[in-house]
Amino acid sequence: MPTVKFIEFNGTEHTVDANNGESIMVAATSNLVPGIDADCGGECSCATCHVLIDAEWRAKLEPTTDTEESMLDLNPDRTEDSRLSCQIIVSDALDGIVVNLPEFQY
Amino acid sequence: MSGIVVIGAGQAAGQAAASLRQEGYEGKVTILGDEAQAPYQRPPLSKAYLSGEIGMDRVLVRPENFYPDKDIDLKTNTTVTAIDRDNKTVSTESGDTYEYDKLLIATGSRPRILNIPGSDLEGIHYLRTIADVDGIRGAMQSATRLCIVGGGYIGLEVAAVAKKAGLDVTVVEAMDRILLRVTTPEMSEFYHNLHTGRGVNILVNTGVDGFEGENGKITAVVCGDNKVEADLVIVGIGIIPNVELAEAAGLECDNGIVVDDHCQTSDPDIYAAGDCTNHPNPILDRRLRLESVPNAMGQARTACSNMLGGDKVYSEVPWFWSDQYELKLQMVGFSADGDTSVVRGDKDANQFAVFYLKDGKVVAVDAVNSPKEFMVCKQLYGKPADAAALADPETELKSLLG
């Protein structure tokens, strides 16, 4: 079972077991990781599951879709590490992935 | 300590379960829901769940094992019959009684029912619960002609799914345009043309007088002198907030359970969240009753924080979304609040946004396949913006955020 390490903006770490096939967003909300609102439930409709993933892990991810890209583009906290966690599906290849949480969701 | 009891097991209740534990509450949490399932998301029911694209596991608010894992006592198939405020208990149909220190009412809403001749015929469905949709999915297998009563978002989302599934689809709307209650004539026209362009038949100014059937099964929808042949009918004519329990307990109700900006009802130990509430919105400076997931989740978070001694005000700009065919509509605020509208983008390409301004300030957007415009409106809400700049595709939206 792959693990995902979430690091809150204040530095608090949460390492959780995630299921293959579920999104990083679901792994967070199922394990009470704070800082991911996920209001739309994973439909890429709200951008309230914004996370930051460094270049090394990002290279292992599927690229962003146009919708995800557009939602991120107007996020004031966007950096090159930005992704929407509902669009990242957990797999063995992502075992140990480190996911940083922004201070706010918009 | 008797703990916290939640009445209702919808999206607000699911969020409340998570929020209470996230905030560090270690006491007893009991969720009482009258449906068979753990809390699930309703928006996909008229979209990806109806089409079969996603299953039960993808609509749950939290996985089933979340509740036992977090020591949340989730009682499904449990109908609450009364709240006793003096003794701080709720009782259920099966005769059980639950004590509470704090109570969260998250009873949601139910579909308005048509009570006209023939309403009890087989083949007439409403769409609110997963059980409803399982019934509709089953019926769609053998149906050929679907008549949707009501041209609101639910009806139109179903029309899109059914058309794709190959059914002959007619939408019957009593008013002179679809989506009248929720959007502008301009957007109504766009969605009318979208659906007719995909082969959906839309009849406006058409009230339904009754249903006709044979052998107990629906055969036609009667609209004045007209008849729309149908072997499947879905009625989507709005919802009614479930306030009866609150009302019977003597809590103030007025088009919803009246709560303050802390999601507290007229009883300080009782809070309410979601579709069932009539709540103040400090940003819009008026009371609202919303049929909306973000509202249910936001109010649940606020109510939980305050039940645990916090001092949190619920204050969020309302937003909504609707998926029809390959078009994603994302809305912020209420278009009716605007005095001016500005179109950005290309309607013919199904990619555009209509911004609404009042006294020069942004108060709403309807964004079709335009997530950037949606995101910018969430942040620009209530702030002045130049109409010409908004309309100009050369304007970088980011530059408007200042």
Side-chain angles (χ1 to χ4, degrees), chain A residues 66-67 69-74 78, chain B residues 330 344 353 355 365 367 369-379 396-398 401:
Chain A
D66 288 350
T67 303
E69 180 56 36
S70 301
M71 304 283 288
L72 285 169
D73 190 42
L74 269 293
R78 200 230 170 123
Chain B
Q330 293 166 292
R344 180 186 170 93
F355 286 93
V365 74
N369 285 347
S370 299
K372 278 190 193 184
E373 280 72 6
F374 166 75
M375 287 296 287
V376 88
C377 187
K378 266 183 148 183
Q379 294 163 61
E396 268 284 335
L397 285 170
K398 262 187 212 169
L401 293 172

Side-chain angles (χ1 to χ4, degrees), chain B residues 4 12 16 19-20 23 102-105 259 261-264 270-274 296-310 312-314:
Chain B
I4 292 172
S19 292
L20 288 169
E23 299 233 2
K102 301 283 179 195
L103 177 67
L104 177 64
I105 304 179
V259 294
D261 59 6
H262 284 58
C263 300
Q264 194 175 41
I270 305 182
Y271 290 73
M297 312 246 304
Q299 284 196 309
R301 288 186 197 110
T302 301
C304 289
S305 176
N306 293 333
M307 285 193 289
L308 302 179
K312 205 168 159 186
V313 168
Y314 177 65

Side-chain angles (χ1 to χ4, degrees), chain B residues 156 159-160 163 169-171 192 194-202 325:
Chain B
L156 295 176
K163 196 68 217 172
V169 182
T170 300
V171 176
H192 187 110
L194 172 74
H195 281 276
T196 53
R198 305 291 169 109
V200 172
N201 185 24
I202 300 181
Y325 307 103

Side-chain angles (χ1 to χ4, degrees), chain B residues 109 117 322 338 397:
Chain B
S109 53
S322 174
L397 285 170

Side-chain angles (χ1 to χ4, degrees), chain B residues 74-142:
Chain B
L74 170 64
K75 303 261 189 235
T76 53
N77 294 311
T78 300
T79 304
V80 173
T81 48
I83 302 165
D84 178 344
R85 288 166 54 199
D86 293 334
N87 293 308
K88 294 178 72 169
T89 60
V90 301
S91 44
T92 67
E93 206 167 53
S94 54
D96 294 321
T97 302
Y98 297 86
E99 294 178 0
Y100 66 82
D101 295 310
K102 301 283 179 195
L103 177 67
L104 177 64
I105 304 179
T107 43
S109 53
R110 61 180 181 276
R112 266 186 64 207
I113 301 292
L114 266 185
N115 205 354
I116 53 177
S119 330
D120 54 353
L121 286 165
E122 192 186 325
I124 301 174
H125 296 255
Y126 291 82
L127 197 162
R128 180 71 190 169
T129 66
I130 214 155
D132 292 339
V133 181
D134 288 343
I136 292 168
R137 272 166 74 164
M140 272 174 62
Q141 302 291 324
S142 56

Side-chain angles (χ1 to χ4, degrees), chain B residues 4 22 36 81 83 89 93 105 127 141 145 156 173 186-187 219 222 229 236 246 280 290 310 323 339 341 394:
Chain B
I4 292 172
Q22 218 162 45
T81 48
I83 302 165
T89 60
E93 206 167 53
I105 304 179
L127 197 162
Q141 302 291 324
R145 286 198 186 90
L156 295 176
E173 168 57 52
E186 189 178 13
M187 290 301 291
T219 55
V222 183
E229 282 185 34
L290 293 175
D323 298 334
D339 55 31
S341 68
E394 299 297 313

Side-chain angles (χ1 to χ4, degrees), chain A residues 29-35 37-48 67 70-71 73-76 106, chain B residues 18 21-22 41 44 62-63 66 70 293 297 301 319 321 323 328 330 371-372 374-376 378-379 397-398 401:
Chain A
T29 58
S30 301
N31 289 283
L32 295 179
V33 176
D37 289 348
D39 280 350
C40 78
E43 298 200 10
C44 204
S45 286
C46 71
T48 63
T67 303
S70 301
M71 304 283 288
D73 190 42
L74 269 293
N75 193 310
Y106 289 86
Chain B
R21 292 298 183 228
Q22 218 162 45
Q41 309 170 52
R62 296 287 188 287
F66 173 86
K70 306 300 173 200
V293 162
M297 312 246 304
R301 288 186 197 110
W319 61 273
W321 80 95
D323 298 334
K328 184 190 282 287
Q330 293 166 292
K372 278 190 193 184
F374 166 75
M375 287 296 287
V376 88
K378 266 183 148 183
Q379 294 163 61
L397 285 170
K398 262 187 212 169
L401 293 172

